[in-house]
Amino acid sequence: MKRSRFTEEQIIKVLREHEAGVKTADLCRKHGISEATFYNWKSKYGGMEVSEARRLKALEDENRKLKKLLAETMLDNAMLKDLTSKKW
């Protein structure tokens, strides 16, 4: 997974600047991001505090690990079923 150049704290700081009245184009130019990136950040982190953003990231990481474990378990289960069907 690609690592972001910006931390959650920095992203929320940029969004707070926008809420304070700075224009989107000026913010994007200042921080070196595209407007599409800004609006993606706004949809994901809009209205969040830094602690909430950290919690969101932790939950996403945990969810990714659980999905991987589930996929591995399902693969093992399918292999065992295939193995037993070939024996009989």
Side-chain angles (χ1 to χ4, degrees):
M1 187 170 148
K2 183 179 175 185
R3 184 189 170 304
S4 175
R5 290 184 357 189
F6 295 90
T7 63
E8 290 85 14
E9 294 87 7
Q10 293 169 330
I11 292 170
I12 291 173
K13 182 182 171 206
V14 170
L15 294 176
R16 292 266 166 86
E17 287 181 42
H18 183 259
E19 291 171 1
V22 180
K23 292 183 180 180
T24 306
D26 295 337
L27 270 176
C28 293
R29 196 174 317 112
K30 177 182 174 185
H31 295 287
I33 58 172
S34 69
E35 288 190 22
T37 300
F38 173 78
Y39 287 115
N40 284 337
W41 287 355
K42 188 173 180 181
S43 69
K44 186 171 183 180
Y45 297 105
M48 280 190 183
E49 296 294 326
V50 174
S51 61
E52 294 171 338
R54 286 182 183 155
R55 179 73 179 139
L56 174 66
K57 185 171 177 99
L59 288 173
E60 287 174 343
D61 289 342
E62 182 180 358
N63 192 21
R64 187 178 354 85
K65 288 177 188 175
L66 290 173
K67 283 183 178 181
K68 183 178 177 184
L69 286 173
L70 178 64
E72 290 173 353
T73 304
M74 290 176 73
L75 181 63
D76 290 343
N77 192 9
M79 287 176 21
L80 288 173
K81 283 183 181 178
D82 195 33
L83 183 65
T84 57
S85 68
K86 286 183 181 177
K87 279 188 175 180
W88 297 101

